[in-house]
Amino acid sequence: MASSSSSSFSAAAILAFAVVLGVFTGGSSANLSTSFYSKTCPMVFTTVKSAVRSAISQESRLGASLLRLHFHDCFVNGCDGSVLLDDTSSFTGEKTAGPNNRSIRGFKVVDDIKSKVEKVCPGVVSCADILAIASCDSVVILGGPSWDVKLGRRDAKTASFSAANNTGFLPSPFSSLSTLISGFQVKGLSTTDMVALSGAHTIGLAQCRTIRSRIYNDTNIDRSFAKLRQSKCPRNTGGRKNLAPLDLQTPTAFDNKYFQNLINKKGLLHSDQELYNGGSTDSLVRTYSNDAKTFYDDFVAAMIKMGDIEPLTGSSGEIRKNCRRPN
Ligand code: HEM
Ligand SMILES: *[C@@H]1O[C@H](CO)[C@@H](O)[C@H](O)[C@H]1NC(C)=O
Ligand SMILES: *[C@@H]1O[C@H](CO)[C@@H](O)[C@H](O)[C@H]1NC(C)=O
Ligand SMILES: *[C@@H]1O[C@H](CO)[C@@H](O)[C@H](O)[C@H]1NC(C)=O
Ligand SMILES: *[C@@H]1O[C@H](CO)[C@@H](O)[C@H](O)[C@H]1NC(C)=O
């Protein structure tokens, strides 16, 4: 009796320990640290920030584009800089996969940041970490919250077109709420994380081809808002690349207006409006729409969790010299 109960106790203890370690949460076991470059590249923060600031001062959308690159990096085989790799003779990269093709952008800014960082600390800072730092800087520069970015990711030597093209990895704007929830769950992110991270759509733009079915066919949309968007996005053909702001009120400010739009049935993407459509996330959207501080707190916590998804650390991967290609 005693031995069987003690062995079932230790099995339970091991299980609990594994859960604490994050073995089952797909990412919180990441071994990253906010002080990773404190001895090897203390200049990294000021260097990245001034490059991001100069990019945003030329085109404010670039802040949004950098934030989205970090998300698309982390959701495809972890935050390993793979999204930045150009195609090579040995692999097709992620840039032309469905959710990315003709949509993700900001690569020249990343090159510029990387070359400035290489000047102050050659061969030290990974491209994956640059995306994480630049995302935080973008949010701050556009008026949002700040946080201590965890660092120490290394760069992948390869990229996966097929993983990036897999609709189960990067969420589709045509998804239902339950698909959005399960897609984030697979990455170790909760429903709260998913809703808070969707608040990134308080900045940036989307193409006509992405919103056509929403503005012509969805019924949970404000009619005057739909008409406004239809004026630059014809029903049948043409205008595929015409752009519309994800947040119609303050498209270049990181604030909680995105959530107010959802309450008013003015979400731009079908997936945005799914978060406030009579389902389980309505109350959280209402909270964020009234309370920017709670949105910011949850957004920061979720960004840190997202940045922890399956990084390469220790001696895995490499520190790329050029973010577009393996060394
Ligand atoms: C919840 C699931 C999500 C879906 C379905 C989704 C989908 C999309 C789509 C379709 C676009 C516009 C693409 C185009 O038309 O070219 C977009 C833009 C954007 N997304 Fe998301 N997204 C999601 C979550 C996120 C997350 C978690 C972040 C970051 C934390 C993010 C950040 C952005 C930003 C900043 C833009 C604008 C980019 C720019 O203007 O260059 N999104 N998203
Ligand atoms: C990417 O988009 C371009 C232009 O629409 C298209 O010609 C190309 O086939 C697409 N690439 C892939 C891999 O689908
Ligand atoms: C990428 O995914 C889309 C949508 O699932 C699919 O139609 C297309 O064939 C895929 N492309 C390749 C080259 O696998
Ligand atoms: C709207 O829905 C109809 C019927 O399902 C479909 O034939 C049409 O292509 C859709 N239009 C757009 C713009 O998505
Ligand atoms: C985790 O980080 C510490 C401190 O940087 C390092 O000594 C250790 O080797 C790392 N472990 C792994 C598995 O990367």
Side-chain angles (χ1 to χ4, degrees):
M1 272 305 273
S3 84
S4 97
S5 74
S6 96
S7 75
S8 69
F9 169 77
S10 52
I14 288 165
L15 184 66
F17 189 57
V19 168
V20 168
L21 281 177
V23 170
F24 300 128
T25 59
S28 51
S29 60
N31 190 19
L32 304 177
S33 138
T34 57
S35 59
F36 191 81
Y37 297 115
S38 62
K39 296 217 168 61
T40 54
C41 193
M43 292 286 283
V44 67
F45 296 107
T46 52
T47 306
V48 175
K49 193 166 195 169
S50 76
V52 172
R53 195 183 292 285
S54 103
I56 289 176
S57 73
Q58 283 163 45
E59 189 200 358
S60 60
R61 184 186 181 190
L62 284 166
S65 305
L66 289 168
L67 177 57
R68 187 169 186 231
L69 277 181
H70 180 47
F71 163 50
H72 282 212
D73 185 28
C74 293
F75 264 56
V76 178
N77 295 335
C79 314
D80 62 356
S82 58
V83 72
L84 302 172
L85 289 171
D86 288 340
D87 298 350
T88 69
S89 53
S90 53
F91 63 80
T92 303
E94 298 166 17
K95 290 180 176 178
T96 55
N100 291 340
N101 195 18
R102 309 248 167 159
S103 181
I104 52 169
R105 61 198 293 281
F107 300 108
K108 284 189 191 137
V109 183
V110 176
D111 292 341
D112 177 57
I113 299 170
K114 175 66 171 173
S115 72
K116 285 172 175 153
V117 171
E118 285 297 295
K119 279 199 188 104
V120 293
C121 327
V124 171
V125 180
S126 67
C127 299
D129 279 349
I130 283 175
L131 286 183
I133 300 169
S135 294
C136 175
D137 290 340
S138 297
V139 168
V140 170
I141 291 165
L142 297 173
S146 185
W147 64 95
D148 292 331
V149 179
K150 288 169 69 178
L151 300 164
R153 301 169 192 82
R154 292 167 65 82
D155 295 323
K157 297 177 182 176
T158 186
S160 173
F161 175 90
S162 60
N165 199 51
N166 177 337
T167 49
F169 282 49
L170 287 168
S172 153
F174 314 113
S175 304
S176 66
L177 178 60
S178 64
T179 300
L180 293 169
I181 291 173
S182 60
F184 278 68
Q185 191 95 55
V186 166
K187 299 291 170 187
L189 299 172
S190 69
T191 300
T192 299
D193 296 328
M194 188 274 289
V195 176
L197 288 170
S198 296
H201 291 173
T202 178
I203 52 175
L205 308 173
Q207 298 171 64
C208 168
R209 64 180 169 109
T210 312
I211 62 170
R212 196 172 255 149
S213 59
R214 164 131 181 91
I215 63 179
Y216 286 101
N217 273 351
D218 278 4
T219 52
N220 60 353
I221 187 168
D222 176 86
R223 286 187 64 83
S224 66
F225 174 64
K227 286 226 165 67
L228 177 69
R229 290 293 163 251
Q230 288 167 4
S231 69
K232 285 190 181 145
C233 182
R235 179 191 292 269
N236 295 313
T237 52
R240 281 170 57 83
K241 290 188 264 177
N242 291 356
L243 295 168
L246 284 154
D247 168 4
L248 82 154
Q249 298 191 63
T250 52
T252 61
F254 196 101
D255 56 23
N256 64 341
K257 298 277 196 304
Y258 166 84
F259 296 102
Q260 297 172 10
N261 298 334
L262 300 185
I263 306 258
N264 295 320
K265 298 191 180 177
K266 294 176 180 175
L268 187 66
L269 306 182
H270 174 83
S271 52
D272 290 328
Q273 198 61 56
E274 280 292 295
L275 306 181
Y276 190 82
N277 191 37
S280 62
T281 53
D282 280 13
S283 63
L284 192 55
V285 169
R286 235 178 273 119
T287 300
Y288 292 160
S289 75
N290 290 322
D291 179 359
K293 167 83 167 68
T294 301
F295 163 48
Y296 287 172
D297 288 348
D298 289 359
F299 179 80
V300 163
M303 282 297 291
I304 292 168
K305 273 172 84 174
M306 186 175 88
D308 265 351
I309 296 174
E310 297 166 23
L312 298 170
T313 57
S315 57
S316 313
E318 63 183 9
I319 304 301
R320 257 179 244 152
K321 293 188 172 71
N322 177 329
C323 292
R324 292 176 185 263
R325 51 179 179 267
N327 291 343

